[in-house]
Amino acid sequence: MPLEKVARVAIVIPRSAILDVSRALASLGLVHLAQDEGFTSDRRVAELLAGLRGLLVSLDTVARDLSLKEERPIVHQILRGRINEVRSFDVAAWEAFFESVREEARPIIEALSELFRRERELSATIESKRSLLASLAVLRELDYDLSRLKRSRYLRPLIVSVPKGAKEELLRSLSKAAHYTVYEDERVAVLLLIVLPSQEKELDRIMKVLGATPLPLEDLPEVNPSKLTQRLRLELSELERELQAVRRSIGEMAREKGEQILTLREACSLALGYLEKVARVGTLKYFGVLKAYVPLRMLDELKRKLTKGVIIVEDDRPKEAPTLMSNPRWAKAFELVTLAQGPPAHTEIDPTPIIAFIFPIFYGLMFADAGQGLILALAGLLVAQRLEPRYRRWGILLLTCGISATVGGLLTGEAFGLKLAELNFGPITEFLAAISVLRLETTEDIIRILALSVWMGALHLALAFLLDVQRSLKESKRVKALTLSLPTFLLYAVVGTLFATGLVASNYSFGLLLTNDASHPLLPLLSIGQVTRTIVLPLGIVLSLLIALSHLLSIKAGEEAGRLTDALILGPIEWFLRITEFLANSISYVRIGIMLLAHAVVMGIVATLYGYPAFLPLAVLGNIGVMLLEGLIVYVQALRLHVYEWFTKFYEGKGTIFQGLSLTGRRAKIIFVALAGAGK
């Protein structure tokens, strides 16, 4: 499907009108800003951006401190659905939006800031008292009032806890200090040190180096270790109760205000990100220049709304423009497959609608099971309806592939590994048996499935070569289209098909191809020998010569750069590689039939468990395991056939995705009251 055409425009506006213009652009949405110059110097915009940044930092800090999760677990969403709805912020101007968000957020931020401050204070106090209590634990039996030493004018008493290995080093460093070992074990030693006032600074330095912890006697209300321990325990109990109460309050705030905080934060983030893009309007003093890409169909609407600016259309067909994919709703989910290779450039075709038709067919044939396919379809419907909007495409993709797998199961006549023809479904039993045209019962059925896989691959590849012809013409490379792309398509779709069917009809005997008088399967009016002599060989030689000379002719026509001598070598190599790829790529599609056979074998093993009631739980687990594991493997195989076998023939995916201006997030949406009349 062709990509939507866009134009590159320059919008010249007074710097004072940036905020008004930004509101009008928001109503269009499909505007891709391209400028990357410095910020505007307009005071209103600068103040608004600074305010939004500060508010966003505050809300982000609160959300991080509360450990708020951006999204709920997927299982939670499936069970309870999408609880949070998108909230609309209906405002008249950017300043009004900022004021409303700030006023709403201020009491929440202030209340939580006070709670967090109190929590930090209590935690620090508790930690300090616990450390003090731990230091006093070794002194409980020392029922002596140390205040007597504290009252000394000429001596400084100190109780120090030091690692056992650093004790001797500490004592050597303080050779003039009196010391007494109060307690000692294999890890720590508690010392009573008595030093001169002049030694206090040196003592502090040594204790920091050796990791010693002092017990400051001067800060204690009393220095009787036994009595002080009892007092500290009472204080700790009260502080811990208060800390638990504060944390409960924080938890209640998180439950009650968490969603509101995340919504306000997202609203600020949307506004800030949008305004920072719009604010990049160049370096002119009084005027700004917005450079953007806009769909051609929206140019008139843009001119109608932007009455405060001058719109200059720089190019209505820019080749470097970002890619705006405009697929129908039924195909949008399969943009995921296209984007796995990359967005298309403007010289390429968007293959998404084709993928939306072919991808489910491949998936349904490889995972052909009516029962499991129906469960996958229901799971996809559940994901699309109950999960957040960003998962909707995956849900639709799963729903489509599940429906295709259900149809494939009906064609093979299987559901959960059971043969539908052997079950009694009343009046529809005969109908189910009649549509089971892909049954896997005999060797001939298996050969037919593998042959069908190859023919499907041939059609898929032929379509890719035909799209390559269109791409060459779209790039205005007519010589390449006539000498390389079109000959490749004809060599594969016509010559290769006639040759392959004739070879099969001749029992794979190359000698009979020229002399076989039997009617050709595709051209029954002619014999296999006549088709080979009059069509396959002459047309194959002509097309091969064109491919071999394609690089030479393209260089002479100016469509490629290079030397003619190199082209004479590259041409034959190109022909040889393409002939080799024809066979290799076609055989690669056999994986469709192989995956179908593998699924049938695995489910046949699971089906043997149905006859034993004791093994039914194991059979259920087997079905779940097959759906999870094989369902993913089949998706990867279908994706591989597109990315490695199909895309490589015509598609590069080197475009840049169109990033429209959006003021809608997962929780918040900014809507201006007077947006429709913003230009008035």
Side-chain angles (χ1 to χ4, degrees):
M1 184 173 182
L3 302 172
E4 185 156 357
K5 297 177 181 178
V6 298
R8 186 173 67 233
V9 300
I11 306 171
V12 183
I13 55 175
R15 285 188 174 273
S16 59
I18 291 176
L19 294 180
D20 296 331
V21 170
S22 69
R23 295 166 57 212
L25 290 177
S27 65
L28 294 172
L30 291 177
V31 178
H32 180 100
L33 295 178
Q35 67 275 8
D36 55 358
E37 301 180 28
F39 282 103
T40 176
S41 59
D42 183 73
R43 182 179 57 82
R44 288 174 58 206
V45 179
E47 291 178 352
L48 183 58
L49 288 174
L52 284 170
R53 289 193 194 99
L55 183 57
L56 179 60
V57 169
S58 299
L59 288 168
D60 192 58
T61 301
V62 169
R64 186 173 59 253
D65 290 341
L66 290 176
S67 299
L68 298 178
K69 295 182 179 180
E70 190 67 26
E71 65 177 76
R72 292 179 175 85
I74 292 180
V75 175
H76 187 280
Q77 294 181 43
I78 291 177
L79 294 177
R80 300 188 181 182
R82 297 192 300 266
I83 297 177
N84 56 296
E85 298 294 335
V86 178
R87 175 182 169 185
S88 298
F89 289 83
D90 300 322
V91 293
W94 282 114
E95 293 88 348
F97 162 78
F98 172 65
E99 289 297 329
S100 65
V101 174
R102 183 173 63 177
E103 290 304 314
E104 183 178 346
R106 178 181 295 168
I108 301 175
I109 294 174
E110 290 177 352
L112 285 170
S113 298
E114 178 61 25
L115 288 172
F116 286 131
R117 184 192 64 78
R118 184 57 181 159
E119 182 190 29
R120 287 192 297 270
E121 288 181 354
L122 289 171
S123 298
T125 304
I126 289 173
E127 185 62 30
S128 175
K129 290 187 179 295
R130 282 176 177 170
S131 299
L132 184 58
L133 188 61
S135 299
L136 287 171
V138 298
L139 303 175
R140 292 174 187 171
E141 298 180 359
L142 187 60
D143 192 6
Y144 178 76
D145 189 357
L146 298 176
S147 60
R148 296 178 183 180
L149 292 174
K150 185 171 70 172
R151 289 194 293 267
S152 175
R153 295 171 56 187
Y154 305 104
L155 298 174
R156 293 291 184 267
L158 193 67
I159 296 178
V160 177
S161 174
V162 63
K164 177 68 178 296
K167 174 187 173 183
E168 297 300 327
E169 181 67 25
L170 177 64
L171 296 178
R172 282 197 300 270
S173 301
L174 298 171
S175 57
K176 295 181 180 181
H179 62 86
Y180 170 72
T181 302
V182 179
Y183 172 83
E184 186 173 357
D185 59 19
E186 66 276 5
R187 295 182 303 163
V188 67
V190 179
L191 308 175
L192 173 61
L193 299 177
I194 300 176
V195 299
L196 297 173
S198 60
Q199 294 179 300
E200 286 186 309
K201 289 185 178 180
E202 182 182 3
L203 177 61
D204 290 340
R205 179 180 60 80
I206 294 172
M207 286 193 299
K208 288 180 181 179
V209 172
L210 299 178
T213 303
L215 178 61
L217 300 177
E218 62 274 8
D219 296 337
L220 302 178
E222 58 179 309
V223 287
N224 187 306
S226 180
K227 295 181 179 180
L228 184 57
T229 298
Q230 297 177 6
R231 179 188 293 271
L232 286 175
R233 284 177 175 173
L234 291 174
E235 292 178 359
L236 274 173
S237 179
E238 294 177 0
L239 290 171
E240 288 174 350
R241 282 196 297 269
E242 185 177 356
L243 179 60
Q244 291 301 321
V246 170
R247 288 176 173 172
R248 281 196 299 270
S249 299
I250 293 175
E252 291 174 0
M253 287 284 288
R255 288 188 295 271
E256 295 175 2
K257 303 294 185 180
E259 194 64 32
Q260 184 179 3
I261 293 170
L262 292 175
T263 301
L264 294 174
R265 184 182 70 172
E266 185 179 67
C268 282
S269 179
L270 287 171
L272 182 63
Y274 175 73
L275 286 176
E276 283 181 341
K277 289 182 180 179
V278 178
R280 296 175 181 269
V281 290
T283 57
L284 296 177
K285 185 174 182 181
Y286 299 108
F287 292 91
V289 180
L290 282 170
K291 296 182 179 180
Y293 293 95
V294 183
L296 280 175
R297 59 181 173 83
M298 299 183 67
L299 277 178
D300 292 338
E301 185 179 358
L302 178 65
K303 294 176 182 179
R304 185 173 66 254
K305 289 190 174 183
L306 291 184
T307 58
K308 291 189 177 182
V310 177
I311 300 173
I312 302 172
V313 180
E314 296 182 342
D315 192 346
D316 59 356
R317 295 290 191 278
K319 293 183 179 180
E320 74 283 0
T323 300
L324 180 57
M325 303 169 72
S326 57
N327 290 298
R329 293 183 60 183
W330 56 268
K332 278 191 172 297
F334 290 88
E335 289 179 356
L336 294 168
V337 179
T338 303
L339 295 177
Q341 180 72 13
H346 273 272
T347 55
E348 296 178 316
I349 187 174
D350 182 6
T352 302
I354 301 173
I355 295 172
F357 176 73
I358 295 176
F359 192 94
I361 294 178
F362 286 174
Y363 191 97
L365 285 176
M366 287 188 282
F367 193 71
D369 191 297
Q372 293 181 353
L374 185 60
I375 292 178
L376 289 180
L378 293 175
L381 184 63
L382 191 66
V383 169
Q385 290 186 343
R386 298 184 69 86
L387 263 62
E388 294 185 0
R390 64 197 188 102
Y391 294 112
R392 179 176 174 79
R393 287 189 177 185
W394 287 106
I396 295 175
L397 188 68
L398 185 59
L399 172 63
T400 307
C401 290
I403 293 174
S404 180
T406 303
V407 175
L410 294 176
L411 294 177
T412 58
E414 290 192 8
F416 299 115
L418 298 173
K419 302 294 183 182
L420 295 177
E422 299 176 359
L423 303 177
N424 185 11
F425 290 100
I428 66 170
T429 303
E430 294 183 2
F431 172 75
L432 293 175
I435 64 174
S436 300
V437 295
L438 299 178
R439 291 186 296 272
L440 299 173
E441 298 176 351
T442 64
T443 304
E444 289 75 13
D445 293 336
I446 295 175
I447 295 175
R448 187 174 69 252
I449 291 295
L450 296 177
L452 176 63
S453 301
V454 174
W455 279 112
M456 290 180 62
L459 292 175
H460 199 217
L461 291 173
L463 178 60
F465 292 126
L466 186 61
L467 291 174
D468 186 49
V469 176
Q470 181 182 4
R471 176 190 172 185
S472 298
L473 293 175
K474 194 173 183 179
E475 292 176 344
S476 299
K477 296 181 178 180
R478 294 181 177 83
V479 174
K480 178 184 176 183
L482 295 175
T483 60
L484 181 61
S485 300
L486 183 59
T488 300
F489 167 72
L490 295 175
L491 193 62
Y492 183 82
V494 178
V495 175
T497 301
L498 293 175
F499 174 81
T501 52
L503 183 64
V504 173
S506 300
N507 294 322
Y508 302 97
S509 174
F510 289 95
L512 290 177
L513 278 175
L514 294 173
T515 59
N516 196 337
D517 294 331
S519 297
H520 197 281
L522 298 181
L523 298 175
L525 296 180
L526 300 175
S527 67
I528 295 175
Q530 290 175 327
V531 170
T532 302
R533 293 191 303 270
T534 60
I535 299 178
V536 172
L537 288 179
L539 186 58
I541 293 172
V542 172
L543 295 176
S544 298
L545 287 174
L546 285 174
I547 294 174
L549 296 173
S550 60
H551 287 283
L552 178 65
L553 296 176
S554 294
I555 291 174
K556 291 182 69 66
E559 293 181 358
E560 290 184 14
R563 296 185 301 179
L564 296 178
T565 53
D566 294 339
L568 290 174
I569 299 173
L570 291 176
I573 294 176
E574 179 83 29
W575 172 82
F576 176 77
L577 291 177
R578 292 192 174 239
I579 294 297
T580 305
E581 287 178 350
F582 287 166
L583 181 60
N585 294 149
S586 300
I587 293 177
S588 183
Y589 284 84
V590 174
R591 72 183 68 243
I592 296 176
I594 293 175
M595 290 301 301
L596 174 59
L597 294 173
H599 177 78
V601 171
V602 173
M603 289 310 301
I605 297 173
V606 174
T608 59
L609 302 175
Y610 296 147
Y612 306 94
F615 291 158
L616 284 180
L618 187 59
V620 173
L621 292 176
N623 276 274
I624 295 174
V626 168
M627 282 188 289
L628 293 176
L629 182 60
E630 191 176 342
L632 177 62
I633 293 175
V634 167
Y635 172 80
V636 172
Q637 293 299 329
L639 184 64
R640 184 194 182 283
L641 288 175
H642 282 80
V643 173
Y644 292 103
E645 309 296 344
W646 198 56
F647 281 158
T648 53
K649 305 300 181 292
F650 71 98
Y651 185 77
E652 293 183 358
K654 294 184 177 180
T656 302
I657 200 68
F658 190 98
Q659 298 286 350
L661 298 176
S662 175
L663 290 174
T664 301
R666 295 162 60 185
R667 290 178 169 85
K669 178 170 60 175
I670 302 174
I671 301 175
F672 293 98
V673 175
L675 199 58
K680 296 182 182 180

